[in-house]
Structures are given as structure tokens and as C-alpha cells.
Amino acid sequence: MMNTTKILTFSELVPYTVIGGVVTLIDWSVFSISTLLLGIQYQVALIVTYFIAGSIHYLANKFITFHCHAKQAGTQVSLYMIVGLMSLGISLGVITLFVKCFAINQLGARVLTTLVMLLPNYLLHKHITFSKKLFAQPPVNAQSYIN
């Protein structure tokens, strides 16, 4: 019998990866346009992309990946923002480290930062933002599956 409390469940990993891929493309596109075409400093561009991509990421993962239909939307959005700000702070440190200490170009540093933050972000959102222990789920109505 499969243990459902594993860190990564296949039923969450596939949609999380697909959603993450789409959101990452949006993130990297906005980051590239901001830094290369508009000349915005890479740390500022990272902040901008976090808010744009984060909004899409929140909604898609709430309903598709984690199937979270909790009614405490305000609390959940607040937690998402706190987790996102913590992640942003770490990401700013990581991208700056890659650019300043390892002389990696800004886009390469952005890609590496995304890879470094993938698992920590998944775990934080799974166990905090979309935690079924923290947020009561409405009762499942068997009739909704029949209709």
C-alpha cells in the first residue's frame, strides 16, 4: 500500500511541475524583457516577476495541484504572501550570490535560482499555504461526483 504522507506525491508532482513550467516561462520572459529590453536592475526585475508569476502560481496550485477549496481565503492568501516574501528574500540573496560572487550572467543566475528554490517552494506551499491540516476543507458531497 502506498504511503500518502510522502513529501512528493505523484498526483501533486505532475500538475505542480506543469504549472511551475508555465509560470516559470512567464517569470523568465518578464525577467528577460525587464532586464534586457527595459534596462531594469535584475533585483528589481526579480521582485516584479515574483508578484506577476506568484499570482498565477497561487491560483493554479490552489485549485489544480493541491485541490484546496478552503473557505479561509484571506488567511491563505496572507500565508502565501508570507511564504512568497520569504522565498523572494532567499532568491534575492541567491541570485546576487550567483551574479556577484560567481560572475554568472543575470539570466543564467535567474535560471539557477529557480532550480535552487524549486523544492523548498514546493514544500513550503504544500505544508503551509495549502495545508489541509491548517485549512478546513468543505465536506465532499458525493452527489457532486454523480452529477
Side-chain angles (χ1 to χ4, degrees), residues 18-121:
V18 171
I19 290 166
V22 170
V23 172
T24 298
L25 288 175
I26 294 167
D27 180 309
W28 291 351
S29 297
V30 173
F31 184 84
S32 297
I33 291 167
S34 298
T35 57
L36 298 175
L37 296 179
L38 302 177
I40 296 173
Q41 183 190 33
Y42 67 93
Q43 289 108 333
V44 174
L46 180 66
I47 293 168
V48 170
T49 61
Y50 246 75
F51 286 103
I52 292 170
S55 301
I56 299 164
H57 187 264
Y58 170 77
L59 292 170
N61 280 310
K62 175 178 175 63
F63 296 110
I64 298 169
T65 303
F66 298 110
H67 305 286
C68 186
H69 301 284
K71 299 296 181 193
Q72 305 96 325
T75 302
Q76 193 171 51
V77 169
S78 297
L79 277 175
Y80 184 85
M81 289 172 52
I82 291 168
V83 168
L85 288 173
M86 289 184 334
S87 176
L88 174 59
I90 295 167
S91 294
L92 283 167
V94 170
I95 196 170
T96 301
L97 179 74
F98 286 144
V99 170
K100 300 276 187 190
C101 295
F102 296 108
I104 298 172
N105 71 51
Q106 295 172 5
L107 296 178
R110 181 65 190 113
V111 170
L112 290 173
T113 301
T114 300
L115 294 173
V116 167
M117 295 304 297
L118 184 65
L119 184 61
N121 283 335

